[in-house]
Amino acid sequence: MSHLRQLLEDSNEKIFTSEFPTIDGAGMPRVIALAQRFSPWFDAVNATDNPAAHAHASNTSVAIAMKAHGLEPIMQIACRDKNRLAIQADMMGASLHGIENLSLMTGDDVTAGDEPETKRVFDLDSAQAISIANSLNGGKYLSGRAVKPPTNFYIGAVENAAAPPLEYRVQRAVKKHRAGARFLQLQICYHPDRLENFCRGVASAAPQLHLLPTIVLLKGARQLHFMNDKVPGIDVPLNLISRVEKSLDQSEAAYELALEQARHALALPGVRGLHIADFRHDETLARLMHDLGRIPRTISNQLQEQL
Amino acid sequence: MIKILPFIEHAIKKPIWDCRMCGQCVLHSTGMTCPMTCPKTLRNGPCGGVREDGNCEVDPTMQCVWAKAFGRKESLPLPQSWRDHFNDLRPPVDMQLQGTSSWINLITKRDQQVPAGWQRNTRSDHGL
Ligand code: SF4
């Protein structure tokens, strides 16, 4: 049974997930160094699937490497690049290597990436991909062909609480839950009122669905502008940006904003932890975790053997 | 007649709904808004990329298909039974039906055939 499943289903502990940086060469030493950096703080970490429509080392290969180095993977699968055969193959390949946590998503459009001339696939949507993972858990491929023994996926998905149509977002989350999702990693949300309404709505309509809002660690106003202008589905209110922009110490102001967001999110109904995206790559991650009362876990045994 | 039906269907549905002839029409359950006109062809609701003004992540000049569908589900005078199906979990598109007449597929129930491994309890309860 996956550690993440155990923590979310059988404990009340607050859990923390993150995103493994993309791998573009640099080989296993880089994976090992990153695993070392992530394992004290995170219960499980996403192995991404061509994030923002840029090609990188594949989701499955990175998930296998993470696992081998003592970091529990949550394997992302985006519907943008693969048809239903390839997605089921990804899932079965993951299962073969003992990877059980999935995070299934539609994926940013190809126009968000550096090869916008590519063909968009979107043969499945995220709700259908969730349902298919759930069928594999029930011992069947989509075709009905047997999977013996059945897979044991712990199925997650994503949702953007702040994107229009706002009232629809809760219904869509519930639909994903009906299809088989047990947890949702939420897109970063710079509208606390929207996040709150979403979490309250989900907590009352689907109390078993665990929510993990995202907190992003940024260096200052320039990165906030970037999020607002370039990342699909993210709106950063201008007064928030100028609050950081006008402060004497932008880096400190950006940190305070993230800490405020983290505390607010953790207090909302249905929220079981946080998903943390670190774009600062400095000591701020440790500071945030300390300020949230997270005690670093000892480096996992497997990793110690490697050192 | 059977042979020309797809042409008649397309001639009617193309100008009104920008029909793409997927052959498994769900317009009645999506506020009479065709999900195949979404650039990602999503049949189960909007992606996370919808812009602050409700327009599409991919094509900023058009309203998100699902934002439109969500509004029209209530604003159009549709039977309640159609609205109740708005949040159904729709199965993956059957590519074999592309270009065929959804009217015929409806009558023959061909459009309701799903692969044996597709979970059947996909109807939504209480509109959620
Ligand atoms: S914004 Fe709406 S129309 Fe555009 S790709 Fe996403 S769901 Fe489809």
Side-chain angles (χ1 to χ4, degrees), chain A residues 53-96:
Chain A
H54 289 65
H56 301 281
S58 75
N59 52 351
T60 321
S61 65
V62 172
I64 293 168
M66 286 167 62
K67 192 165 188 288
H69 298 294
L71 198 57
E72 176 154 318
I74 301 171
M75 193 170 98
Q76 284 185 358
I77 301 177
C79 295
R80 177 194 54 241
D81 307 327
K82 296 164 192 154
N83 70 9
R84 62 196 79 173
L85 295 180
I87 286 178
Q88 291 177 90
D90 258 11
M91 291 174 180
M92 292 308 292
S95 171
L96 172 67

Side-chain angles (χ1 to χ4, degrees), chain A residues 159-232:
Chain A
E159 192 51 70
N160 185 346
L166 297 178
E167 318 83 77
Y168 192 0
R169 294 291 163 184
V170 172
Q171 297 177 25
R172 203 164 119 85
V174 172
K175 185 193 266 202
K176 289 177 179 177
H177 183 50
R178 266 197 297 129
R182 310 291 311 173
F183 67 95
L184 288 184
Q185 297 178 306
L186 306 180
Q187 178 62 286
I188 174 69
C189 176
Y190 289 96
H191 294 268
D193 53 323
R194 294 183 191 176
L195 182 65
E196 185 160 345
N197 288 339
F198 176 83
C199 293
R200 284 192 193 291
V202 171
S204 79
Q208 313 286 334
L209 183 57
H210 308 298
L211 302 177
L212 304 170
T214 292
I215 301 300
V216 179
L217 287 173
L218 301 173
K219 285 187 187 132
R222 211 168 52 87
Q223 285 182 317
L224 279 170
H225 276 298
F226 178 86
M227 301 283 286
N228 190 41
D229 300 340
K230 293 281 187 301
V231 185

Side-chain angles (χ1 to χ4, degrees), chain A residues 16-21 31-46 66 71 276-278 281 285 289 294 297 303:
Chain A
F16 290 85
T17 63
S18 187
E19 209 121 311
F20 206 68
V31 174
I32 294 172
L34 288 167
Q36 220 174 318
R37 176 174 157 78
F38 280 83
S39 26
W41 303 115
F42 298 111
D43 299 297
V45 174
N46 290 30
M66 286 167 62
L71 198 57
I276 299 193
D278 178 12
H281 311 296
L285 173 64
M289 298 310 249
R294 173 80 163 183
R297 295 186 306 152
L303 198 60

Side-chain angles (χ1 to χ4, degrees), chain B residues 38-40 42 46-47 50 56-58 62 64-65:
Chain B
C38 156
K40 301 183 186 174
L42 304 182
C47 72
V50 186
C56 171
E57 168 194 338
V58 183
M62 75 170 205
C64 164
V65 168

